[in-house]
Amino acid sequence: MISEFSLGIGIAVLAVGTYLIRLAGPLLRNRLTVSATAEKLMDRAPVVLLVAVALTGAVFAGHDFAGWARPAGVAVGVLTAVLRAPIAVVVILAAATAAGLRALGLP
């Protein structure tokens, strides 16, 4: 079991590391030059990471497959969001899809 002291040390190390990474950007801005291709890739990276996390959360529950209802609900939500529906409509349709499929017996 992890003691409270070692947990506090771990949190402090992560906090300092996060601060140093955030500080590195402004300090190194004038020292480093980045190509246009690398800049485009770095602009897309947060979106790719967000999609990967959302997809993992939609498809897996812990280490197991979440069933078909959850990914179907997420797919309906993404489709309605792409069609620029209001956020309330997106949430209601996604939830209704997942709940309806579960009511029909799909896991």
Side-chain angles (χ1 to χ4, degrees), residues 9-106:
I9 294 291
I11 291 172
V13 167
L14 289 173
V16 169
T18 301
Y19 180 74
L20 290 175
I21 288 172
R22 291 187 57 106
L23 186 64
L27 291 178
L28 296 176
R29 172 171 282 173
N30 295 328
R31 292 181 155 196
L32 296 174
T33 56
V34 179
S35 69
T37 305
E39 193 171 329
K40 284 182 185 179
L41 286 174
M42 287 188 282
D43 283 342
R44 293 179 186 158
V47 175
V48 171
L49 287 173
L50 182 61
V51 168
V53 168
L55 184 64
T56 303
V59 176
F60 295 103
H63 294 289
D64 300 323
F65 179 61
W68 292 105
R70 188 189 299 180
V74 171
V76 168
V78 168
L79 179 66
T80 54
V82 166
L83 295 174
R84 298 194 181 269
I87 188 68
V89 173
V90 171
V91 171
I92 290 169
L93 285 176
T97 300
L101 290 174
R102 286 187 180 132
L104 292 173
L106 246 66

